[in-house]
Amino acid sequence: MKNFQLSAKILSQKKIKGNYWHCELAAPLIAKNACPGQFINIRVSDTYDPLLRRPLSIHGVKGTKIKIFYKVVGKATEILARKKKGELLDIIGPLGNGFAFGKRKTENGKQILVAGGMGVAPLMFLAERLKKTTIQVLVGARTREELLCINDFKQAGCLVSVATDDGSAGFQGRVSDLLKQLLQEAQFRPQTIYACGPRLMLKAVADMANEYALAAQLSLEEHMSCGIGACLGCVVKTKGGLKRVCKEGPVFAAKELAW
Amino acid sequence: MKNFQLSAKILSQKKIKGNYWHCELAAPLIAKNACPGQFINIRVSDTYDPLLRRPLSIHGVKGTKIKIFYKVVGKATEILARKKKGELLDIIGPLGNGFAFGKRKTENGKQILVAGGMGVAPLMFLAERLKKTTIQVLVGARTREELLCINDFKQAGCLVSVATDDGSAGFQGRVSDLLKQLLQEAQFRPQTIYACGPRLMLKAVADMANEYALAAQLSLEEHMSCGIGACLGCVVKTKGGLKRVCKEGPVFAAKELAW
Amino acid sequence: MPTRLAVEIGKLKLSNPVMTASGTFGYAEEFQDFMELKKLGAIVTKTLTLKPRQGNAAPRTCETPAGMLNSIGLENPGLEIFIQDKLPFLKKIGIPIVMSIASEEEPEEFLELVSRINLIPEVAAVELNISCPNVRGKNSLIAQDAEATYQIVQEVRKRTDKVLITKLSPNVTSIGEIAESAEKAGSDAISLINTLGGMSIDVQQRKPKVSSGIAGLSGPAIRPVAVRMVWEVFNKVKIPVIGMGGITDVPSALEFIIAGATAVSVGTANFINPKISLAIVSGLKEYLVSNKIADIQELVGSLKI
Amino acid sequence: MPTRLAVEIGKLKLSNPVMTASGTFGYAEEFQDFMELKKLGAIVTKTLTLKPRQGNAAPRTCETPAGMLNSIGLENPGLEIFIQDKLPFLKKIGIPIVMSIASEEEPEEFLELVSRINLIPEVAAVELNISCPNVRGKNSLIAQDAEATYQIVQEVRKRTDKVLITKLSPNVTSIGEIAESAEKAGSDAISLINTLGGMSIDVQQRKPKVSSGIAGLSGPAIRPVAVRMVWEVFNKVKIPVIGMGGITDVPSALEFIIAGATAVSVGTANFINPKISLAIVSGLKEYLVSNKIADIQELVGSLKI
Ligand SMILES: Cc1cc2nc3c(=O)[nH]c(=O)nc-3n(C[C@H](O)[C@H](O)[C@H](O)COP(=O)(O)OP(=O)(O)OC[C@H]3O[C@@H](n4cnc5c(N)ncnc54)[C@H](O)[C@@H]3O)c2cc1C
Ligand SMILES: Cc1cc2nc3c(=O)[nH]c(=O)nc-3n(C[C@H](O)[C@H](O)[C@H](O)COP(=O)(O)OP(=O)(O)OC[C@H]3O[C@@H](n4cnc5c(N)ncnc54)[C@H](O)[C@@H]3O)c2cc1C
Ligand SMILES: Cc1cc2nc3c(=O)[nH]c(=O)nc-3n(C[C@H](O)[C@H](O)[C@H](O)COP(=O)(O)O)c2cc1C
Ligand SMILES: Cc1cc2nc3c(=O)[nH]c(=O)nc-3n(C[C@H](O)[C@H](O)[C@H](O)COP(=O)(O)O)c2cc1C
Ligand code: FES
Ligand code: FES
């Protein structure tokens, strides 16, 4: 899959709530080639601080536009949020492998998407592309205010259940416990679980997929210095040895991973 | 003289022409205490690149506002020019000694101001404060388009002559040669020459002041790392030893300097 | 005015002085989407060892002010798999390939590696990485000791006619002394600098940000140290110097050349802008033209001091 | 919860661990408009020599990525004028004053300086600057040689009961070794790091940006190197370590403490934000409170590795 480095114009930049921002970029070559689970690598400043690019998932594609959805957590995301409509962003993409779907039988089965925190970012794009199937989305966050994309998932035709650590909305507990409940009660037996979120959540999802003999595809994060497979910085242990999250990932089959 | 570090709101930010920008800041404590020839030291970014503050002359004071006039030449001035009205700037000032005037007899005599390039910045403020006397301003630049503040000086009641290296306006040659002509023709015999501009120009002015036995006050530039006298980075040779441009300067009597 | 960008590193001829630094350019494949690889002066491979190495645990990198730390731990597939899987692509590019090698047991592994590399005609030069701070379990590097440097370079020199480049570590008291040893031992060129030893701490967790604790600092932050060392080495040895450390643009590449580097290597900057090395090639040409310099070699070491 | 910020460097008691680094805080007068000086842990003076020194020619400083180069050349008024003109102001502040000293001819000048400083009760400690790269005409520093370090520290130790701090240079192969020498010779504490040797070139003029050519690199760029060296020294010696090199904020000060520094010095950051050292004092307190740490000494060297 070919990668492109381009200067993408910001078409819109909106604060959704709190520290969460939504941004659309004009990036025809990336939009055309992007698959759910892939990401772009952004240079937010032409100074040396911050120095490295920052990876952000592709949140959606609409015509020649790509969407990103990000949380301001530090230097680079803060600078990004200060950028205005019309400004240009130096981006590289579409990077990584993306979720495997569509070419398999699972396409017409039921799917379950498990998102923890910002994990909604790539899964929203996946939900749009999976549209033809029945999709159950589980969204987890610490508290009600941090639940993300609920309406977007609904609009995309998904069934949505939520979990909050503090019980301020939906199931009280971790989203992985909600998944467990769902699987136990056999309410919903998916063919594949697609998950993105904190490492511990992904581990729990992997364990459950194993227990229930389900396929699971997990989107991982590692600190990335290049995003294009050159630095070997972003490796994760798999049964087949170390793999680069930016290149062989960020999506890995749960059964491949050696936690 | 006390220095203040404050967060100054940008009240206006305008491109005058080319790379030249004019900016007004709300800085009551600095405005109240500033003298012509003093400067402020600006932190344009809270990242580490650029790392150090940048010195800019106080171009004028109006009530609680101070004005700066700057040319975009590199990283920091570029970032500064991108700042919008309403944003805050971390500044320290008023720094340095400023021009000596007013307390001496020269106050009511004729004065001559010699500006090369951006040297107009502090001299404009001086012209405003010297108002009661007859002021002849000589402004030099490489070419017509780079002549600065001509109308401002006129509005402040000064007589203005210009010199351009390429002869595209006024006297063809250096502004120091124009000064020489003026002094030779005895058209105008000032009591003090105030000058700011490139080092070579200042040297020529100092030589002429010496030749005609006139007092001259020169505003110098050196690379400044602190602006408050702490690093000893900005020294210049004087007959009384090394002096700090940021503290004992930036204005020095021509006869004090050991070029 | 015709301008000449070509330079020579021993008998190695480069069409221009811009190379890519070991470990920052993968095995070149990763950059084919972004540039015409054959326009580079040369490509230096990620350092190879005889046997495959898994390298260190994650996290392996973090950002620092104007720099980054890495502790990859020389992950590499080992010589055999490199020859099978990576070399064919590199060969096809058609520019000089420099093989960077390191060894876990000196000198045997170095000698074994070199004797095998001697059989690969497409490898133009060997870079001895005796300065990698990320090999676990060692307290000091060969390149931190003039005598040890001399020994290993001499042994390798005896066994190969390929252009021999010795890569030095900046973590030394006197870089000139180490460079002199390498020269005396028969190295054809000196490349420097490898990363500076550094550490960065996550103060909430009170743990190092990179799993190995101490890691290697690279990027623009270290550029002044690198330029200084190139200048010191240039003044100490007669063999060509390949300069690197924080090169990110045309002016920074020029700093190294003016300080005495015959060629330069682009490292961390490849991660930030994968096209930068070729942009530097064109920028150098423009500089020569606008400064009316016929041959880039006139610039080498032209610092007025 | 009551939290304790006080620390001890030998018999020197500081109300908090934040000091100002030599040469970056003038003689403190320059900062009185910006802070209540007496809230600092201690103040280290610009390095003094026996006789006045004019220092190097301009330009003396330039900016580099996330750092700066300086080559002041130890400009100072000499001991006598310091005592007359600068000391009275420092005395009045009422916190420990550390006098940094250097010598052009070792060991005589150091000994002469120390014997005079012994007579000034308000000077709490002496910092031996054996690591200043900006004294012209020398090829190497005392602090680049373990034996030379041992000699000079021992000689000075014999002559003074004041707290003795030895300031080390990062431009060495093994910082631990030098620190050990200083400890053995009787130093009460080690401070590090002084600047890294660096150079920056104006490529249009092909001249160094700082007149002396080679100069000293400081600022956030060098922080990872400094943190690493503090960690190495902390693991080598038992005497307290004063850490510095690119401290600009609370997290960076914490990095040094966690790596093993009992106290920290703020240097270049004073130029950027003259109030920063006191902001760090309050920030450290907040960190202790929010992490439920009763005494900052629990943090010293608490790195989990
Ligand atoms: C493949 C991939 C896709 C991602 N997609 C998204 C996305 O769609 N939306 C989004 O908001 N974020 C996403 N992230 C995380 C995002 O890259 C980081 O939040 C961002 O790099 C932080 O940069 P910063 O300079 O603002 O923060 P920094 O100043 O670098 O760090 C601030 C804090 O953020 C944390 N952080 C930094 N880098 C990462 C990282 N790579 N992963 C996790 N935490 C990090 C650090 O632990 C630190 O405490 C993704 C990460 C990866 C690897
Ligand atoms: C006391 C004083 C008052 C000044 N007043 C003004 C003013 O009112 N308006 C104005 O436009 N400029 C003024 N300057 C110059 C101004 O400080 C520099 O142009 C600015 O710091 C450049 O920053 P930069 O990051 O944009 O450029 P950099 O990227 O730092 O450098 C770009 C170019 O600018 C030149 N430059 C950098 N610093 C200086 C400096 N201190 N003096 C001269 N050239 C420099 C460099 O040689 C370099 O080639 C003043 C300087 C001093 C010392
Ligand atoms: C991620 C990474 C991996 C590296 N791997 C190697 C290596 O395998 N062998 C080697 O000799 N140098 C290695 N280096 C050092 C670089 O080749 C170079 O010497 C150093 O990074 C300084 O240049 P820079 O600042 O331009 O990156 C590596 C550097 C980085 C950043
Ligand atoms: C302008 C300047 C002058 C300095 N002068 C001295 C000095 O006189 N004596 C000394 O021991 N260190 C001197 N230093 C080094 C600092 O004390 C400190 O060790 C070094 O700058 C690293 O800390 P920093 O990165 O926080 O600045 C100087 C540093 C700078 C930037
Ligand atoms: S981020 Fe460099 S290899 Fe993945
Ligand atoms: S700029 Fe630091 S003393 Fe003048």
Side-chain angles (χ1 to χ4, degrees), chain B residues 217-229:
Chain B
Q217 292 192 28
L218 313 179
S219 179
L220 303 191
E221 277 192 17
E222 257 310 325
H223 189 270
M224 292 185 177
S225 286
C226 74
I228 56 173

PDB file of all heavy atoms in Angstrom, chain B residues 217-229:
ATOM      1  N   GLN B 217      24.898  59.871  20.456  1.00  0.00           N
ATOM      2  CA  GLN B 217      24.446  58.719  21.237  1.00  0.00           C
ATOM      3  C   GLN B 217      24.012  57.626  20.276  1.00  0.00           C
ATOM      4  O   GLN B 217      23.139  57.839  19.437  1.00  0.00           O
ATOM      5  CB  GLN B 217      23.273  59.122  22.132  1.00  0.00           C
ATOM      6  CG  GLN B 217      23.703  60.078  23.218  1.00  0.00           C
ATOM      7  CD  GLN B 217      22.607  60.239  24.251  1.00  0.00           C
ATOM      8  OE1 GLN B 217      21.804  59.315  24.459  1.00  0.00           O
ATOM      9  NE2 GLN B 217      22.583  61.390  24.874  1.00  0.00           N
ATOM     10  N   LEU B 218      24.616  56.489  20.451  1.00  0.00           N
ATOM     11  CA  LEU B 218      24.396  55.401  19.493  1.00  0.00           C
ATOM     12  C   LEU B 218      23.717  54.226  20.181  1.00  0.00           C
ATOM     13  O   LEU B 218      24.127  53.800  21.262  1.00  0.00           O
ATOM     14  CB  LEU B 218      25.749  54.945  18.933  1.00  0.00           C
ATOM     15  CG  LEU B 218      26.688  56.060  18.465  1.00  0.00           C
ATOM     16  CD1 LEU B 218      28.001  55.463  17.966  1.00  0.00           C
ATOM     17  CD2 LEU B 218      26.032  56.903  17.363  1.00  0.00           C
ATOM     18  N   SER B 219      22.709  53.708  19.519  1.00  0.00           N
ATOM     19  CA  SER B 219      22.036  52.538  20.066  1.00  0.00           C
ATOM     20  C   SER B 219      22.564  51.290  19.372  1.00  0.00           C
ATOM     21  O   SER B 219      22.427  51.136  18.160  1.00  0.00           O
ATOM     22  CB  SER B 219      20.526  52.664  19.868  1.00  0.00           C
ATOM     23  OG  SER B 219      19.891  51.521  20.380  1.00  0.00           O
ATOM     24  N   LEU B 220      23.190  50.409  20.139  1.00  0.00           N
ATOM     25  CA  LEU B 220      23.854  49.221  19.569  1.00  0.00           C
ATOM     26  C   LEU B 220      22.999  47.970  19.661  1.00  0.00           C
ATOM     27  O   LEU B 220      22.064  47.890  20.451  1.00  0.00           O
ATOM     28  CB  LEU B 220      25.162  48.951  20.325  1.00  0.00           C
ATOM     29  CG  LEU B 220      26.209  50.039  20.393  1.00  0.00           C
ATOM     30  CD1 LEU B 220      27.506  49.459  20.934  1.00  0.00           C
ATOM     31  CD2 LEU B 220      26.461  50.647  19.023  1.00  0.00           C
ATOM     32  N   GLU B 221      23.387  46.970  18.874  1.00  0.00           N
ATOM     33  CA  GLU B 221      22.776  45.645  18.970  1.00  0.00           C
ATOM     34  C   GLU B 221      23.858  44.612  19.219  1.00  0.00           C
ATOM     35  O   GLU B 221      24.941  44.700  18.658  1.00  0.00           O
ATOM     36  CB  GLU B 221      22.063  45.281  17.658  1.00  0.00           C
ATOM     37  CG  GLU B 221      20.682  45.845  17.554  1.00  0.00           C
ATOM     38  CD  GLU B 221      19.897  45.231  16.388  1.00  0.00           C
ATOM     39  OE1 GLU B 221      20.296  44.164  15.879  1.00  0.00           O
ATOM     40  OE2 GLU B 221      18.899  45.847  15.987  1.00  0.00           O
ATOM     41  N   GLU B 222      23.553  43.644  20.050  1.00  0.00           N
ATOM     42  CA  GLU B 222      24.407  42.471  20.199  1.00  0.00           C
ATOM     43  C   GLU B 222      23.466  41.295  20.408  1.00  0.00           C
ATOM     44  O   GLU B 222      22.308  41.492  20.807  1.00  0.00           O
ATOM     45  CB  GLU B 222      25.329  42.614  21.420  1.00  0.00           C
ATOM     46  CG  GLU B 222      26.772  42.971  21.108  1.00  0.00           C
ATOM     47  CD  GLU B 222      27.439  42.100  20.052  1.00  0.00           C
ATOM     48  OE1 GLU B 222      27.141  40.893  19.999  1.00  0.00           O
ATOM     49  OE2 GLU B 222      28.257  42.641  19.289  1.00  0.00           O
ATOM     50  N   HIS B 223      23.945  40.085  20.157  1.00  0.00           N
ATOM     51  CA  HIS B 223      23.089  38.939  20.426  1.00  0.00           C
ATOM     52  C   HIS B 223      22.837  38.854  21.930  1.00  0.00           C
ATOM     53  O   HIS B 223      23.767  38.851  22.718  1.00  0.00           O
ATOM     54  CB  HIS B 223      23.733  37.643  19.947  1.00  0.00           C
ATOM     55  CG  HIS B 223      22.792  36.503  20.029  1.00  0.00           C
ATOM     56  ND1 HIS B 223      22.680  35.713  21.140  1.00  0.00           N
ATOM     57  CD2 HIS B 223      21.847  36.074  19.167  1.00  0.00           C
ATOM     58  CE1 HIS B 223      21.728  34.826  20.950  1.00  0.00           C
ATOM     59  NE2 HIS B 223      21.205  35.023  19.745  1.00  0.00           N
ATOM     60  N   MET B 224      21.570  38.813  22.306  1.00  0.00           N
ATOM     61  CA  MET B 224      21.218  38.820  23.725  1.00  0.00           C
ATOM     62  C   MET B 224      20.601  37.498  24.149  1.00  0.00           C
ATOM     63  O   MET B 224      19.628  37.043  23.566  1.00  0.00           O
ATOM     64  CB  MET B 224      20.204  39.925  23.989  1.00  0.00           C
ATOM     65  CG  MET B 224      20.817  41.298  23.825  1.00  0.00           C
ATOM     66  SD  MET B 224      19.682  42.599  24.281  1.00  0.00           S
ATOM     67  CE  MET B 224      20.777  44.017  24.042  1.00  0.00           C
ATOM     68  N   SER B 225      21.150  36.918  25.195  1.00  0.00           N
ATOM     69  CA  SER B 225      20.567  35.674  25.695  1.00  0.00           C
ATOM     70  C   SER B 225      19.635  35.914  26.868  1.00  0.00           C
ATOM     71  O   SER B 225      18.710  35.149  27.082  1.00  0.00           O
ATOM     72  CB  SER B 225      21.663  34.683  26.088  1.00  0.00           C
ATOM     73  OG  SER B 225      22.247  34.157  24.918  1.00  0.00           O
ATOM     74  N   CYS B 226      19.886  36.958  27.656  1.00  0.00           N
ATOM     75  CA  CYS B 226      19.012  37.189  28.811  1.00  0.00           C
ATOM     76  C   CYS B 226      18.338  38.556  28.778  1.00  0.00           C
ATOM     77  O   CYS B 226      17.203  38.702  29.204  1.00  0.00           O
ATOM     78  CB  CYS B 226      19.780  36.994  30.120  1.00  0.00           C
ATOM     79  SG  CYS B 226      20.917  38.333  30.531  1.00  0.00           S
ATOM     80  N   GLY B 227      19.039  39.580  28.333  1.00  0.00           N
ATOM     81  CA  GLY B 227      18.453  40.926  28.278  1.00  0.00           C
ATOM     82  C   GLY B 227      18.421  41.640  29.613  1.00  0.00           C
ATOM     83  O   GLY B 227      18.018  42.810  29.681  1.00  0.00           O
ATOM     84  N   ILE B 228      18.823  40.950  30.676  1.00  0.00           N
ATOM     85  CA  ILE B 228      18.731  41.579  31.995  1.00  0.00           C
ATOM     86  C   ILE B 228      20.086  41.662  32.703  1.00  0.00           C
ATOM     87  O   ILE B 228      20.156  41.859  33.918  1.00  0.00           O
ATOM     88  CB  ILE B 228      17.721  40.828  32.905  1.00  0.00           C
ATOM     89  CG1 ILE B 228      18.096  39.353  33.036  1.00  0.00           C
ATOM     90  CG2 ILE B 228      16.305  40.977  32.372  1.00  0.00           C
ATOM     91  CD1 ILE B 228      17.247  38.582  34.049  1.00  0.00           C
ATOM     92  N   GLY B 229      21.150  41.495  31.940  1.00  0.00           N
ATOM     93  CA  GLY B 229      22.474  41.697  32.527  1.00  0.00           C
ATOM     94  C   GLY B 229      23.069  40.482  33.204  1.00  0.00           C
ATOM     95  O   GLY B 229      24.116  40.581  33.843  1.00  0.00           O
TER      96      GLY B 229
END
